[in-house]
Amino acid sequence: MSKPSLKPLDQQVIVITGASSGIGLATALAAAQRGAKLVLAARSQHTLDEIAAGLIEDGAQAITVQADVGDRAQVEAIAATAIRHFGRIDTWVNNAGVSIYGRLDEVSDQDSQRLFQTNFWGVVHGSVVALPHLRANGGALINVGSEASDTVIPLQGMYSASKHAVKGFTDALRIELEADQAPVSVTLIQPTAVDTPYPQHAGNYLSQ
């Protein structure tokens, strides 16, 4: 199958989860500079509103949706808002993620499950919700994994496991869509260490 034809960024409507900081925020700023219309999603409405106000002041088109990607209904609300406001979705970036510092035998099941709900199920929800829109007119699905998708990080074992799961899901989805000859580009990004607030936002079971 030939690679799907993607619109120039200044003709795209782009949804970005985890857009309030780190890689998501940097992606939003870069896309806005290239003229993309943005739908920014995260759990912090206040932070999103400040970011959107700055972008709009600089001439960009941006809207915000407060959402927890671990909840499928809230992800569906992101898509519905994008369609209602801009009429389509051209690129969907699943970026939201959290981590926990701690030994695997000491981290609570509740915290581990919450991490997986965001890091893995958030990607699944975003991908499945985005696909009908991307199939309709062609588009790109971008899932943010990690170098930990291919290796392990001691004391961040559940984070590593979640990123392995993201890679497995994304690779399988890509093959299925290629078999369908769907006009959707599926990309897994695997960043190494990046200067973001990610460590400050992580849970911590390590002794001080």
Side-chain angles (χ1 to χ4, degrees):
M1 171 188 169
S2 60
K3 186 176 180 180
S5 177
L6 305 177
K7 298 184 180 78
L9 279 176
D10 62 1
Q11 297 176 27
Q12 288 201 32
V13 175
I14 301 178
V15 174
I16 304 171
T17 69
S20 59
S21 66
I23 292 173
L25 175 56
T27 302
L29 296 176
Q33 289 177 349
R34 298 283 295 274
K37 299 178 179 68
L38 299 176
V39 181
L40 308 179
R43 288 182 291 183
S44 173
Q45 185 67 60
H46 176 72
T47 303
L48 286 175
D49 288 344
E50 288 186 340
I51 293 166
L55 293 174
I56 292 168
E57 186 176 344
D58 289 337
Q61 295 187 56
I63 61 172
T64 66
V65 185
Q66 183 178 24
D68 180 342
V69 297
D71 182 338
R72 168 74 177 258
Q74 293 186 42
V75 177
E76 290 173 343
I78 298 172
T81 302
I83 297 301
R84 185 166 59 248
H85 194 88
F86 290 122
R88 67 181 194 282
I89 298 168
D90 301 301
T91 294
W92 186 294
V93 182
N94 286 310
N95 165 76
V98 296
S99 189
I100 299 171
Y101 292 94
R103 291 175 50 91
L104 288 167
D105 57 356
E106 294 178 354
V107 177
S108 73
D109 289 349
Q110 182 179 6
D111 284 348
S112 292
Q113 289 166 2
R114 187 66 189 86
L115 179 150
F116 249 83
Q117 200 66 29
T118 297
N119 290 14
F120 175 66
W121 283 105
V123 169
V124 173
H125 294 157
S127 299
V128 173
V129 167
L131 274 177
H133 305 286
L134 301 178
R135 281 178 179 270
N137 300 299
L141 177 68
I142 301 173
N143 292 340
V144 179
S146 167
E147 62 176 347
S149 296
D150 287 318
T151 186
V152 296
I153 306 174
L155 303 181
Q156 290 189 76
M158 201 57 68
Y159 173 83
S160 300
S162 72
K163 292 301 186 177
H164 274 67
V166 166
K167 182 179 189 301
F169 170 80
T170 304
D171 289 347
L173 179 62
R174 183 186 303 110
I175 291 170
E176 291 178 1
L177 292 174
E178 287 176 351
D180 292 344
Q181 296 190 350
V184 181
S185 169
V186 178
T187 302
L188 177 69
I189 306 296
Q190 296 181 234
T192 184
V194 177
D195 184 11
T196 75
Y198 156 91
Q200 294 94 309
H201 294 165
N204 192 352
Y205 278 71
L206 302 179
S207 59
Q208 302 299 317

